Amino acid sequence: MLVVLAVPVVAAVALSLADYRYNRRVRALPSRTVAGIQARVARERAEAEAANASTEVLPRIQPTPADQPTQLLPRVLPKRPRRYVSSQRGPRPPARFAAPDPALMQRVLEVLRQLPEEPPARPSRWPGSDPDTESPPA
């Protein structure tokens, strides 16, 4: 019962605090004071005067006569070859390795033939438990 009465009271207090903070921020803004309003009016008048001011015409640059050659600017850096474009050959062939020693290859093949067909059973980590499970003995 007490909770039902406390919810509206807490909501009213929260709303009044939010309203108080908002009003304090609005009053703190300089645009709400007399000096702020006067500054805004002066700024608006200055903007209106600037918008209505006459424009100045800049002098026109005369083009060069057609018979005078223009001078090209020298390059800053010398021209460099582009190796990634000028390459005419294709991709490199794969590296060729030397053929292995035939005697060594025969020994490796003999050892591989002697290996059993099935791998040996893996030893259990828990010797006293069921070999089909991986859990420790109970």
Side-chain angles (χ1 to χ4, degrees):
M1 178 73 174
L2 189 59
V3 174
V4 174
L5 293 175
V7 171
V9 171
V10 170
V13 169
L15 286 174
S16 63
L17 282 175
D19 190 42
Y20 173 73
R21 287 181 180 168
Y22 175 76
N23 287 337
R24 188 173 59 180
R25 277 186 297 175
V26 167
R27 274 186 261 121
L29 293 175
S31 62
R32 300 286 184 178
T33 62
V34 174
I37 293 171
Q38 289 174 346
R40 181 173 52 91
V41 169
R43 189 171 51 249
E44 289 174 358
R45 284 184 184 159
E47 288 173 359
E49 288 175 5
N52 294 333
S54 63
T55 57
E56 296 180 12
V57 178
L58 296 174
R60 185 169 162 225
I61 298 175
Q62 299 296 325
T64 59
D67 57 350
Q68 285 185 344
T70 57
Q71 294 179 355
L72 295 176
L73 295 175
R75 287 184 174 269
V76 177
L77 294 174
K79 189 173 181 180
R80 294 181 290 169
R82 296 185 294 175
R83 292 186 186 96
Y84 56 91
V85 173
S86 64
S87 174
Q88 296 298 325
R89 57 177 199 229
R92 279 195 239 164
R96 306 231 179 234
F97 296 108
D101 184 29
L104 175 66
M105 291 301 296
Q106 282 296 341
R107 287 188 359 218
V108 169
L109 286 174
E110 289 298 321
V111 171
L112 287 175
R113 285 188 190 117
Q114 292 172 4
L115 288 176
E117 288 290 323
E118 294 183 18
R122 193 175 73 182
S124 175
R125 292 188 306 182
W126 312 102
S129 68
D130 184 17
D132 295 331
T133 64
E134 290 290 323
S135 60

